[in-house]
Amino acid sequence: QIGGHSLLAIQMASHVKTAFGVNFPLREIFLRSIFESFAKFTGELHKVHDETNFKLPAIIPDPQNRFKEFPLTDIQQAYWIGRGGDLELGNVAVHGYSEFDHEELDVDRLEQAWNRLIERHEALRLIFPGNGYQKILSEVPYYKFLRRDYGKLPSEVREEKIQKVREELSHEVMPAEKWPLFNISVTYFPEKVRLHLSFDALILDGWSFDILFEEWKQLYNNIEEPLPPLDVSFRDYVLAEYNLRTTPLYEKDRSY
């Protein structure tokens, strides 16, 4: 009567799941449109939830084994298989390429900030040995940006060269078993610097990319700025996700 509709019902179910850890069936919301009834049913679901112990496994930090091999996630496995030629439409990397122009880019400072991120984020030190597993490298060399200077070239030659660079980098398939699975370079023009960014999706998704760029910007603006410590390893997360498959919650979902 006060304007409820299906989209709000879905949002309510989501908020209830976040607050109480229970799945509130959408049809029940419409059957229990009075809040007293809604709250009572939520309590019943919560009681059943506690009795059946449908809880997510904890992520347990294991720094001593951080650099041992561990399984791929489902999406990484799909990407990894698709890189090979065993399947039709294979031999393709899931990969992103971008270019950014800047009139006054301090390339040395940007490079230094990027190496801080390599130290901080394990995904930037991932390799895939070829056995269906992945591994975080404990140490990697200082990463230097490749630098091209096209500033003194005639414009038509410069355009031909930059198109060749773009074609090469935008269709790149990096060897998954070797570090790094990213490629950063710069090209100098008379009036600007162009930054070329090439990333394999085995190590980054869209959300990760946003986090990485925000931190890169912070470090570029202030290289001494401390970033919040990361206590959980990507390996810890993946193993916890695998442990989920032994829980009653997983069995319930699979049965459904």
Side-chain angles (χ1 to χ4, degrees):
Q1 290 176 346
I2 61 174
H5 50 75
S6 58
L7 183 58
L8 280 175
I10 293 171
Q11 292 174 340
M12 284 181 65
S14 175
H15 288 313
V16 168
K17 183 174 183 177
T18 300
F20 300 103
V22 299
N23 289 309
F24 204 117
L26 202 58
R27 64 181 181 275
E28 295 292 344
I29 292 180
F30 292 104
L31 292 174
R32 303 168 192 277
S33 57
I34 297 174
F35 279 123
E36 182 179 6
S37 175
F38 182 92
K40 183 178 180 181
F41 187 68
T42 302
E44 294 170 356
L45 288 175
H46 194 248
K47 182 179 179 182
V48 172
H49 171 80
D50 285 346
E51 289 174 350
T52 52
N53 194 31
F54 288 163
K55 295 181 180 178
L56 293 172
I59 298 179
I60 303 173
D62 185 14
Q64 292 183 341
N65 294 309
R66 180 164 291 189
F67 305 118
K68 291 184 178 180
E69 292 184 353
F70 58 102
L72 308 182
T73 66
D74 288 346
I75 193 69
Q76 283 179 313
Q77 190 173 69
Y79 291 168
W80 182 67
I81 292 172
R83 297 167 65 90
D86 297 331
L87 299 177
E88 188 178 2
L89 305 180
N91 288 316
V92 175
V94 182
H95 162 262
Y97 173 69
S98 305
E99 296 177 359
F100 299 94
D101 288 350
H102 201 289
E103 294 180 359
E104 298 178 353
L105 186 66
D106 186 334
V107 176
D108 290 336
R109 183 148 51 103
L110 190 71
E111 182 182 272
Q112 187 180 359
W114 180 253
N115 278 276
R116 283 278 305 277
L117 291 176
I118 292 174
E119 294 176 8
R120 173 174 169 79
H121 290 290
E122 297 170 339
L124 297 177
R125 306 195 308 273
L126 277 174
I127 61 169
F128 299 78
N131 56 358
Y133 285 80
Q134 57 189 321
K135 183 178 181 180
I136 299 162
L137 298 177
S138 58
E139 295 181 358
V140 294
Y142 185 88
Y143 186 80
K144 294 184 177 181
F145 298 170
L146 175 66
R147 307 184 189 202
R148 310 173 196 84
D149 192 348
Y150 294 167
K152 297 180 180 179
L153 296 176
S155 58
E156 63 274 9
V157 177
R158 187 166 61 235
E159 185 60 29
E160 182 180 337
K161 283 184 172 292
I162 201 65
Q163 288 294 341
K164 187 176 179 181
V165 169
R166 180 177 294 149
E167 179 68 20
E168 178 184 333
L169 294 180
S170 62
H171 293 77
E172 195 169 19
V173 180
M174 306 174 198
E177 69 279 5
K178 295 180 180 179
W179 182 86
L181 281 165
F182 55 83
N183 185 352
I184 302 177
S185 60
V186 295
T187 302
Y188 292 94
F189 294 91
E191 71 287 351
K192 64 187 178 183
V193 178
R194 177 166 295 171
L195 181 66
H196 306 263
L197 302 177
S198 179
F199 289 95
D200 197 299
L202 279 170
I203 64 169
L204 284 174
D205 59 14
W207 191 289
S208 307
F209 204 74
D210 290 343
I211 294 172
L212 202 63
F213 261 62
E214 182 60 33
E215 292 187 357
W216 199 5
K217 182 175 71 174
Q218 290 179 40
L219 290 171
Y220 178 79
N221 291 329
N222 182 3
I223 195 65
E224 302 301 328
E225 179 180 3
L227 295 174
L230 302 175
D231 299 322
V232 175
S233 167
F234 178 57
R235 182 178 186 272
D236 298 333
Y237 159 75
V238 172
L239 293 179
E241 194 271 338
Y242 264 74
N243 289 336
L244 176 64
R245 304 176 192 197
T246 65
T247 63
L249 177 63
Y250 182 87
E251 289 299 323
K252 174 178 175 291
D253 289 345
R254 189 170 71 163
S255 297
Y256 174 80

